[in-house]
Amino acid sequence: MTTTTAINNVPTVDITGLPTAMTAAAFVGIAWYLCAELNVRLLIRCTRRSLYFWSCLLCSWGIIIHSLSSLLANFDIWKNYGATVVIHITWFTFIVSQSVVLYSRLNLVLKDAWIGRYVLYMIIFTAIVFGLTTVILGLVAVSPPP
């Protein structure tokens, strides 16, 4: 499955050239650094374990695990159906938790409580209707044939 490129005999996947692989590695490294920094800052500064704390923590770990599993799947290191399941579930985790992060900060600018409840219901509705259906359809689309 792998070929050898002319530059330093570095093995890469057939569909990915070395510049593309290095660019992907750079962006994943930046994401991991920012998530690690966020985790350290959350654990040091947040003394109260609020909705903001848990949703930020969940979002950062979702990004770390999602990018790691995507890299392993793209470079054919983790080839089974479990990789696809982890990729879809971590995608759902960090997308929904990022919405909850924004919701948890909404009380800083909001004057009416009913708007906050409406926004929370909207987040729950879109997570179920759009997020879960995306995950389910994505898993069905790549499921192995019976």
Side-chain angles (χ1 to χ4, degrees):
M1 272 283 200
T2 60
T3 60
T4 305
T5 61
I7 303 171
N8 297 331
N9 293 328
V10 177
T12 58
V13 178
D14 291 333
I15 61 170
T16 305
L18 186 60
T20 305
M22 297 303 279
T23 304
F27 284 125
V28 167
I30 292 169
W32 285 353
Y33 172 77
L34 292 174
C35 288
E37 181 184 6
L38 178 64
N39 284 327
V40 169
R41 286 181 185 235
L42 281 172
L43 293 173
I44 289 174
R45 291 188 179 176
C46 289
T47 57
R48 195 180 74 161
R49 304 296 192 236
S50 61
L51 179 64
Y52 177 76
F53 171 82
W54 290 112
S55 56
C56 277
L57 204 64
L58 191 63
C59 184
S60 67
W61 276 101
I63 290 171
I64 291 170
I65 296 170
H66 179 78
S67 61
L68 177 65
S69 56
S70 293
L71 278 178
L72 293 176
N74 285 338
F75 288 108
D76 285 339
I77 296 169
W78 192 13
K79 300 176 187 176
N80 60 7
Y81 189 66
T84 305
V85 171
V86 170
I87 288 170
H88 280 84
I89 289 175
T90 54
W91 173 84
F92 179 77
T93 301
F94 78 80
I95 293 298
V96 172
S97 61
Q98 184 61 42
S99 298
V100 176
V101 167
L102 295 174
Y103 167 75
S104 69
R105 299 291 96 191
L106 189 62
N107 64 348
L108 298 175
V109 296
L110 201 60
K111 292 184 181 9
D112 293 328
W114 68 272
I115 295 175
R117 282 193 301 273
Y118 174 73
V119 171
L120 179 62
Y121 297 149
M122 183 178 59
I123 290 171
I124 293 170
F125 176 77
T126 56
I128 292 170
V129 171
F130 299 116
L132 282 180
T133 54
T134 301
V135 169
I136 291 169
L137 289 175
L139 291 176
V140 168
V142 296
S143 64

